[in-house]
Amino acid sequence: AERVLGYDLLSLCLEGPREELERTRHCQPAVFVASLAAAERLNHLQPKVVESCVAAAGFSVGEFAALVFAGALAFPEALYAVKVRAEAMQKASEAVPSGMLSVIGRREANYKFACLEARKHCESLGIENPVCEVSNYLFPDSRVIAGHLQALKFLQENARKYYFTRTKMLPVSGAFHTKLMESAVEPLAEVLNSIEIQKPLVCVYSNVNGKKYMHSKHIQKLLVKQVVSPVLWEQTMHSVYERKQGTEFPYTYEVGPGKQLGVILKNCNLKAWKQYTHVDDLEEDEGAEE
């Protein structure tokens, strides 16, 4: 990774500084590499699990890791594409004061209507073409809304009106997965155009439509579209775990930093979550396994 990126990713992950690691340009490659390192660790500890894997999915930049794991992309090329994506998304973030707001809503919450009113509020402030839209579907009653900061502030101030029970700004620099990322589309499309993409060896699900990728051209097209489209993670969970009544659920392994996808799975499908395990790439017992 260091050769592809031109900086020491490992020491940035282990020693920081944290604010540098959290910058989009460094954070995306770090998540990508750490996810694949955890997959390697799982393969080392329980090779049978990897051999019998039937499906993979990744959230946002994690989708690149899922495609490398499934043999559709080679590691160096995918990392280079992630580097270009991360730098372009950071640049897009810096162009407009924007962000992302995590929302837990009651059943009555109407996210589209709330976003429409927030856009109208921005227009009244003189903002042209304001953006405020759902950018991540996480689980029933949980969404991430992204767009202009003024729109997100308006939603926080009027949370009760829209039946939002909890709102929290996310520690990111921009409105990812909205049209404010438009300028990042071209650089990523160019890179993906120049690299070889194979048909995945196991099913990989797309963030853009929550369905399986069918062929390599499909992957190329949707990875670009993903930058400006909402992440349909809740829909993906339903696609992955849809089963006939009485059929057993598969084992699920979340590889990489954090356990957020496990929390989402628990809220989407409690029965499937009971077969869930998290695999990190840093463990105290590392010395014992070397």
Side-chain angles (χ1 to χ4, degrees), residues 2 111 243:
E2 187 178 344
Y111 300 95
R243 270 167 182 59

Side-chain angles (χ1 to χ4, degrees), residues 48-170:
K48 283 265 183 297
V49 167
V50 173
E51 282 163 28
S52 58
C53 177
V54 291
F59 192 102
S60 192
V61 73
E63 194 163 295
F64 285 81
L67 286 161
V68 170
F69 172 80
L73 296 172
F75 174 76
E77 283 97 333
L79 178 57
Y80 182 69
V82 166
K83 175 184 190 284
V84 169
R85 177 187 190 267
E87 286 167 2
M89 284 171 81
Q90 174 145 346
K91 202 173 165 193
S93 303
E94 288 161 1
V96 176
S98 58
M100 301 179 86
L101 181 72
S102 172
V103 176
I104 304 278
R106 296 207 335 237
R107 287 288 153 88
E108 309 91 304
N110 184 334
Y111 300 95
K112 276 191 173 161
F113 177 66
C115 290
L116 175 68
E117 294 220 319
R119 290 196 297 272
K120 283 182 179 165
H121 168 72
C122 286
E123 282 168 356
S124 76
L125 300 176
I127 297 169
E128 281 180 35
N129 305 318
V131 171
C132 181
E133 54 201 60
V134 174
S135 62
N136 300 168
Y137 291 81
L138 301 181
F139 54 84
D141 310 324
S142 176
R143 307 275 183 273
V144 174
I145 294 174
H148 282 82
L149 282 182
Q150 296 89 331
L152 304 181
K153 190 166 179 268
F154 171 84
L155 290 178
Q156 281 192 294
E157 286 165 1
N158 294 280
R160 286 182 68 180
K161 178 185 174 185
Y162 302 116
Y163 300 103
F164 295 166
T165 51
R166 207 176 84 217
T167 61
K168 185 187 171 200
M169 287 298 292
L170 296 180

Side-chain angles (χ1 to χ4, degrees), residues 257-290:
K259 299 178 184 177
Q260 296 92 325
L261 300 182
V263 173
I264 296 173
L265 177 59
K266 188 178 184 179
N267 283 284
C268 282
N269 190 326
L270 190 58
K271 282 185 179 169
W273 175 76
K274 286 179 176 163
Q275 310 273 43
Y276 161 89
T277 309
H278 175 252
V279 182
D280 206 339
D281 39 16
L282 274 183
E283 292 284 66
E284 277 107 53
D285 60 359
E286 230 165 28
E289 275 154 22
E290 275 168 6

